[in-house]
Amino acid sequence: MNRTLNILAADEHIDDGDPKVLQLPNDADPQAIEVCLEDIERIDLSFPKFTDGRAYSQAFLLRRRLGFKGDIRATGDVLIDQLVQMERTGFSSAVLKEGVDATDAQRQFDRFAAFYQGDAVKTAPHFAAAGS
């Protein structure tokens, strides 16, 4: 599988107050910020704990419904076993929780090499793409 998710170690993530970077809390409605999306280059979505998946829905809404083309970054309690689903729901980068080794991430992408249904990144289902 060709991975498009950029994986960052915790110390590689920089939050320098750039006005083109928006930090969206995981209880915020992405549709409320639609009017300012053209001025934003990156949206950081937070996973306060790995069991809280609201940021997956936010990423999907931003990519599919609102057409956001910039970087959608997962931050917070991000573990390796979440990365494949993050990519499928529209995230383009993820900051791993401190202490998690990024070199182990490729194993997850190798384990799940293809999916039958479409997603936020590859919208066509597998059977439609196979006939092309």
Side-chain angles (χ1 to χ4, degrees), residues 15 26 37 41-42 58 61 63 84 93 108 116 132:
D15 180 15
N26 73 342
L37 283 179
E41 293 177 2
R42 185 179 92 208
Q58 289 175 313
L61 285 170
R63 274 291 176 238
V84 172
S93 63
Q108 285 298 98
Y116 188 75
S132 312

Side-chain angles (χ1 to χ4, degrees), residues 1 55 89 91-92 99 116 123:
M1 174 179 202
T89 56
F91 284 95
S92 49
Y116 188 75
T123 58

Side-chain angles (χ1 to χ4, degrees), residues 40-127:
I40 303 296
E41 293 177 2
R42 185 179 92 208
I43 299 175
D44 292 352
L45 300 178
S46 175
F47 287 84
K49 50 186 173 176
F50 78 93
T51 57
D52 187 338
R54 292 179 282 183
Y56 292 115
S57 299
Q58 289 175 313
F60 191 84
L61 285 170
L62 286 163
R63 274 291 176 238
R64 291 289 299 271
R65 288 204 183 143
L66 303 178
F68 182 67
K69 302 288 186 213
D71 183 15
I72 299 176
R73 180 171 290 179
T75 63
D77 196 11
V78 176
L79 305 175
I80 287 175
D81 57 350
Q82 297 171 289
L83 297 175
V84 172
Q85 187 64 22
M86 286 177 178
E87 182 178 62
R88 297 193 74 220
T89 56
F91 284 95
S92 49
S93 63
V95 181
L96 292 175
K97 179 179 175 177
E98 193 166 330
V100 176
D101 188 359
T103 59
D104 294 331
Q106 186 60 44
R107 182 178 58 230
Q108 285 298 98
F109 291 95
D110 294 342
R111 184 176 293 145
F112 301 101
F115 298 94
Y116 188 75
Q117 71 276 38
D119 56 38
V121 178
K122 296 175 183 146
T123 58
H126 181 70
F127 67 85

